[in-house]
Amino acid sequence: VQLQASGGGLVQPGGSLRLSCSASGFTFDDYAIGWFRQAPGKEREDVSCISASGLTSTYAGSVQGRFTISRDNAKKTVTLQMRFLKPEDTAVYYCGSPGRQLCRGEYDYWGLGTQVTVSS
């Protein structure tokens, strides 16, 4: 199982970024895919997750209404659209999978992260 996050960068507060997660090595539409983030000195935070079918998704309270997760099973990609970014969104973002169809349990697989920095 290989997962790779991309699309991070430097953005001003209030700006937007779109992160992408590409996957290989498994049957993509069998697995839920999610995003979590890790900031220096802070605990890991599960940001969002989308089920294998794409019919259900979850969001952390801190990003609800600002972030949108989607997936394209034909292209084997998951996208996290981030809007109205805040400095506290600064972190390394990782995409991962719990190894099941629904967004439940711990992530069993994840790849290298992408840095998101929100600063003026």
Side-chain angles (χ1 to χ4, degrees):
V1 175
Q2 291 187 330
L3 296 156
Q4 179 65 57
S6 62
L10 174 64
V11 64
Q12 291 187 342
S16 299
L17 275 177
R18 179 180 294 179
L19 304 184
S20 293
C21 177
S22 59
S24 62
F26 63 101
T27 304
F28 184 76
D29 52 5
D30 278 351
Y31 286 177
I33 303 290
W35 294 88
F36 61 92
R37 64 188 181 186
Q38 181 76 59
K42 295 184 179 180
E43 291 189 359
R44 194 191 90 173
E45 181 181 20
D46 291 340
V47 174
S48 182
C49 183
I50 188 165
S51 64
S53 66
L55 293 178
T56 60
S57 56
T58 63
Y59 296 93
S62 59
V63 307
Q64 182 78 45
R66 299 188 297 121
F67 291 10
T68 303
I69 192 170
S70 61
R71 67 188 293 157
D72 185 331
N73 284 347
K75 296 181 178 179
K76 298 184 179 181
T77 59
V78 170
T79 298
L80 185 68
Q81 178 68 52
M82 306 187 295
R83 297 183 176 90
F84 307 111
L85 284 161
K86 304 176 182 180
E88 50 264 44
D89 294 318
T90 296
V92 178
Y93 284 70
Y94 301 84
C95 64
S97 177
R100 59 186 70 190
Q101 292 191 343
L102 299 179
C103 295
R104 295 176 182 172
E106 298 294 322
Y107 286 110
D108 289 336
Y109 311 103
W110 61 90
L112 296 176
T114 186
Q115 176 72 46
V116 172
T117 302
V118 185
S119 175
S120 55

